[in-house]
């Protein structure tokens, strides 16, 4: 496989002086379920710290008040789910009627695999022209389905951890770990997606280019850190970065925030919300390095 290896980080998103909140993208994260409100909140805060101008979280109505109370800077859209697992007609109309307004959309963190989740994944995958970030339960829905992925109307970014990638490919985790780069590149090429395969030395590839992330540490091996990454990646896509570049920069910033947090807090004590607190320092360090 003839791959172009990318080592330099892409240019940072521009911040014009005469900007407003619409300049930096209106993004949506569809996330959360009963007992999983944290996944939605962490994704939303990751998107805020990623520089998005407006962040919306679409969450089941039963957890809306919990998610909304975590941070006043994102907005929440309540989704009413019927006992059958389907969205009510008004909720589906409300959500789908706004889809075209968003610069980037993410789906999956903490969602579960109910009927309404499956419906949205396949519909957005086939019809959404903007970047779609597919994470967590959205990946598991795809992996469990007998359907082939439909032709995508726009950029598609997959963010699996090794277990999710094993389910997607039907390979064993041990087999994947022997040659992460090859397996990642083959899958990205076959499915025409940008793949961000998480773990030590995160691999980012679109099947023709590859980058290996060098930031991050074992303290980030804790629940919720992937949700922060999903939000951060969504924000960068929403600011107009190309999918591969956004994935490369998101992985670097995410890992750098983890490294800075570990320096102060230790790796064992690191938790996902610490990444939110240290993303500003990661941005500052990266901005200083690029201005040298």
């Amino acid at each position: 496989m003839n791959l172009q290896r990318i080592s330099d980080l892409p240019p940072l998103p521009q911040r014009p002086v005469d900007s407003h909140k619409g300049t930096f993208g209106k993004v949506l994260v569809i996330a959360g379920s009963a007992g999983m409100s944290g996944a939605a909140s962490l994704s939303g805060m990751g998107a805020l710290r990623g520089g998005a101008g407006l962040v919306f979280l679409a969450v089941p109505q039963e957890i809306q008040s919990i998610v909304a109370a975590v941070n006043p800077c994102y907005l929440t859209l309540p989704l009413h789910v019927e006992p059958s697992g389907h969205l009510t007609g008004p909720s589906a109309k409300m959500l789908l009627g706004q889809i075209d307004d968003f610069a980037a959309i993410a789906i999956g963190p903490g969602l579960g695999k109910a009927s309404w989740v499956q419906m949205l994944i396949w519909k957005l995958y086939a019809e959404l022209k903007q970047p779609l970030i597919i994470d967590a339960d959205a990946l598991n829905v795809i992996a469990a389905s007998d359907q082939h992925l439909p032709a995508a109307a726009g950029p598609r970014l997959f963010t699996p951890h090794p277990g999710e990638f094993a389910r997607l490919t039907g390979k064993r985790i041990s087999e994947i770990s022997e040659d992460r780069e090859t397996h990642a590149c083959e899958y990205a090429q076959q499915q025409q997606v940008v793949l961000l395969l998480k773990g030590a030395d995160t691999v980012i590839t679109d099947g023709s280019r590859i980058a290996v992330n060098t930031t991050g540490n074992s303290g980030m091996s804790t629940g919720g850190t992937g949700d922060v990454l999903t939000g951060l990646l969504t924000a960068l896509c929403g600011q107009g970065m190309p999918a591969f570049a956004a994935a490369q920069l998101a992985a670097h910033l995410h890992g750098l925030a983890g490294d800075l947090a570990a320096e102060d807090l230790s790796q064992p004590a690191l938790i996902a919300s610490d990444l939110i607190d240290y993303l500003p320092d990661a941005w500052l360090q990266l901005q200083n390095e690029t201005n040298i």
Side-chain angles (χ1 to χ4, degrees):
M1 188 178 293
N2 187 18
L3 294 169
Q4 180 186 5
R5 290 196 168 267
I6 307 296
S7 56
D8 293 335
L9 288 174
L12 304 186
Q14 296 297 303
R15 307 288 295 188
V17 174
D18 59 345
S19 62
H20 53 83
K21 59 190 176 186
T23 307
F24 304 116
K26 176 181 176 182
V27 302
L28 172 69
V29 182
I30 306 169
S33 58
M36 297 293 285
S37 57
S41 301
L42 288 166
S43 298
M45 290 189 290
L48 289 170
R49 291 298 192 192
L54 283 169
V55 177
F56 285 74
L57 296 177
V59 300
Q61 186 271 337
E62 62 188 316
I63 65 168
Q64 182 193 13
S65 61
I66 300 171
V67 173
V70 172
N71 195 295
C73 298
Y74 51 59
L75 299 92
T76 56
L77 303 174
L79 302 175
H80 297 266
V81 181
E82 298 171 338
S84 64
H86 294 82
L87 285 182
T88 62
S91 268
K93 184 177 180 180
M94 177 274 295
L95 181 61
L96 294 174
Q98 298 184 58
I99 289 301
D100 290 340
D101 297 337
F102 295 102
I105 295 176
I107 185 168
L111 267 185
K113 294 179 279 188
S115 299
W116 72 272
V117 176
Q118 298 177 42
M119 177 275 292
L120 275 180
I121 290 166
W122 295 112
K123 185 173 183 63
L124 292 177
Y125 199 100
E127 299 179 11
L128 186 73
K129 295 179 181 179
Q130 305 93 298
L132 178 66
I133 294 84
I134 300 170
D135 183 42
D137 284 323
L139 293 169
N140 291 329
V141 165
I142 290 172
S145 175
D146 293 332
Q147 298 183 53
H148 292 293
L149 287 170
R156 303 294 176 254
L157 301 90
F158 284 26
T159 59
H161 59 54
E164 291 162 345
F165 191 56
R167 289 189 283 275
L168 283 170
T169 60
K171 296 177 173 23
R172 298 185 307 278
I173 294 177
S174 58
E175 181 183 356
I176 293 167
S177 64
E178 290 174 0
D179 192 348
R180 284 163 49 87
E181 292 187 14
T182 296
H183 289 296
C185 291
E186 288 179 349
Y187 186 84
Q189 187 178 69
Q190 290 166 3
Q191 304 299 338
Q192 296 295 291
V193 299
V194 170
L195 182 74
L196 191 157
L197 178 56
K198 295 183 283 197
D201 299 323
T202 290
V203 176
I204 303 102
T205 181
D206 59 3
S208 61
R209 294 172 291 176
I210 185 170
V212 177
N213 188 54
T214 58
T215 59
N217 60 81
S218 66
M220 298 170 70
S221 301
T222 185
T225 58
D227 302 322
V228 176
L229 177 61
T230 295
L232 177 58
L233 177 55
T234 308
L236 295 176
C237 287
Q239 290 168 77
M241 290 192 73
F244 180 88
Q248 187 188 6
L249 182 59
H252 182 89
L253 279 167
H254 183 253
L256 181 56
D259 289 340
L260 294 171
E263 287 178 9
D264 287 346
L265 306 173
S266 80
Q267 291 185 18
L270 193 64
I271 59 176
S273 57
D274 294 328
L275 301 181
I276 304 296
D277 296 333
Y278 280 84
L279 271 171
D281 292 329
W283 273 114
L284 284 172
Q285 180 170 314
L286 195 52
Q287 287 172 342
N288 289 335
E289 289 173 356
T290 56
N291 287 332
I292 291 174

